[in-house]
């Protein structure tokens, strides 16, 4: 479990690296916008990743306080409200807030098994990954992270799913400077390799749906709270 905590800290650094980098050329390219959720992709390849899959990031304004947005996203019961492809989400290791294994800045984390359907005729995908969050008390900024790992209780089952790989994944939820009680800016970054026989160009093309997911989160929150 201590190794999972160390991986979470590394994952925080990866997420912040991409989200704190200015989303401007030549490193980043504006791609599209869906319901005022803008998407960029990183055109510079990562030295430790030769897959050709590009890192994408999305930014959008929400009319909710940061804490409420974080709690909605973190609660696994809400996932199906904004992700039509998710099938199963099951924590296989949980390290709750206050556990002696946790190290700063990790507030809480788990190891999650997740499976997803895919459009026919593709096999479904599954993932085993850590999921963690931290909170900057001074600024009220929440940061989540996810990164692939392994667990003996969830081996690969090639006849059922293709095991995907999460390289970078996380949300940064920032209170609005002028109206932190009611508004926030939400940023999301991801580089996920679905593995299997999907051409790289098809994966990068499918990533254009990322801002639609951000818009779906906002829509689901409006439906639930307003």
């Amino acid at each position: 479990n201590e190794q999972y905590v160390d991986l979470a800290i590394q994952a925080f650094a990866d997420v912040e690296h991409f989200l704190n980098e200015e989303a401007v050329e030549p490193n980043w390219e504006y791609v599209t916008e869906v319901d005022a959720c803008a998407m960029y992709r990183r055109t510079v390849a990562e030295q430790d990743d030769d897959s050709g899959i590009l890192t994408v990031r999305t930014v959008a304004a929400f009319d909710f306080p940061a804490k409420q947005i974080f709690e909605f996203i973190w609660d696994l019961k809400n996932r199906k409200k904004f992700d039509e492809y998710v099938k199963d989400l099951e924590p296989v290791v949980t390290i709750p807030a206050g556990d002696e294994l946790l190290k700063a800045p990790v507030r809480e984390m788990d190891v999650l098994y997740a499976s997803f359907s895919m459009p026919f005729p593709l096999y479904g995908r599954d993932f085993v990954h850590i999921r963690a969050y931290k909170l900057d008390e001074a600024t009220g900024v929440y940061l989540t992270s996810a990164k692939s790992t392994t667990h003996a209780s969830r081996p690969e089952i090639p006849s059922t799913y293709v095991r995907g790989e999460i390289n970078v994944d996380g949300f940064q939820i920032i209170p609005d400077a002028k109206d932190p009680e009611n508004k926030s800016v939400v940023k999301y970054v991801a580089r996920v390799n679905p593995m299997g026989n999907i051409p790289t160009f098809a994966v990068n093309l499918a990533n254009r749906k990322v801002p639609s997911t951000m818009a779906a989160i906002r829509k689901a929150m409006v439906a639930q709270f307003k």
Side-chain angles (χ1 to χ4, degrees):
N1 286 355
E2 186 174 358
Q3 292 177 334
Y4 292 136
V5 176
D6 290 339
L7 185 60
I9 294 172
Q10 176 190 337
F12 285 145
D14 292 341
V15 171
E16 289 181 305
H17 167 69
F18 290 110
L19 288 182
N20 292 339
E21 185 178 56
E22 283 193 77
V24 296
E25 295 182 351
N27 287 355
W28 291 90
E29 174 189 28
Y30 172 78
V31 179
T32 188
E33 186 171 307
V34 176
D35 293 337
C37 301
M39 174 189 158
Y40 304 81
R41 64 183 180 186
R42 198 170 194 272
T43 55
V44 179
E46 298 307 307
Q47 292 181 352
D48 60 348
D49 182 8
D50 59 1
S51 68
I53 295 173
L54 300 177
T55 303
V56 297
R57 61 187 269 182
T58 303
V59 59
F62 278 54
D63 290 332
F64 294 95
K67 184 175 186 291
Q68 189 175 11
I69 299 168
F70 162 74
E71 290 175 347
F72 182 84
I73 292 172
W74 187 255
D75 189 342
L76 294 175
K77 295 191 297 294
N78 292 326
R79 184 66 177 268
K80 291 186 178 182
K81 296 176 183 178
F82 57 84
D83 188 339
E84 62 180 316
Y85 294 110
V86 67
K87 293 183 67 178
D88 297 308
L89 296 170
E90 182 183 350
V92 293
V93 174
T94 299
I95 307 178
D99 192 289
E100 62 182 11
L101 283 173
L102 293 180
K103 303 174 185 176
V106 182
R107 286 294 190 95
E108 184 178 337
M109 67 168 297
D110 52 39
V111 176
L112 186 68
Y113 173 78
S115 63
F116 300 84
S117 60
M118 295 284 283
F120 179 84
L122 297 175
Y123 270 84
R125 261 56 182 176
D126 69 352
F127 300 83
V128 177
H129 63 88
I130 59 96
R131 187 181 71 123
Y133 86 89
K134 69 176 183 175
L135 169 64
D136 186 323
E137 295 281 5
T139 63
V141 174
Y142 287 85
L143 188 84
T144 75
S145 67
K147 200 173 188 70
S148 280
T149 187
T150 59
H151 194 274
S153 70
R154 291 295 182 272
E156 296 185 38
I157 307 176
S159 61
T160 306
Y161 291 106
V162 174
R163 178 62 50 89
E165 182 177 1
I166 298 173
N167 305 118
V168 180
D169 183 284
F171 287 90
Q172 187 179 51
I173 308 167
I174 307 166
D176 181 85
K178 295 182 178 179
D179 189 5
E181 298 299 319
N182 297 291
K183 297 179 182 294
S184 304
V185 173
V186 181
K187 299 180 180 180
Y188 173 70
V189 66
R191 185 172 71 251
V192 177
N193 189 340
M195 308 298 284
N197 297 320
I198 303 178
T200 298
F201 80 87
V203 176
N204 288 329
L205 185 62
N207 280 337
R208 292 175 67 92
K209 294 183 178 180
V210 170
S212 297
T213 301
M214 180 78 86
I217 295 172
R218 188 172 54 197
K219 183 178 179 180
M221 290 192 69
V222 170
Q224 181 166 327
F225 300 114
K226 293 191 175 182

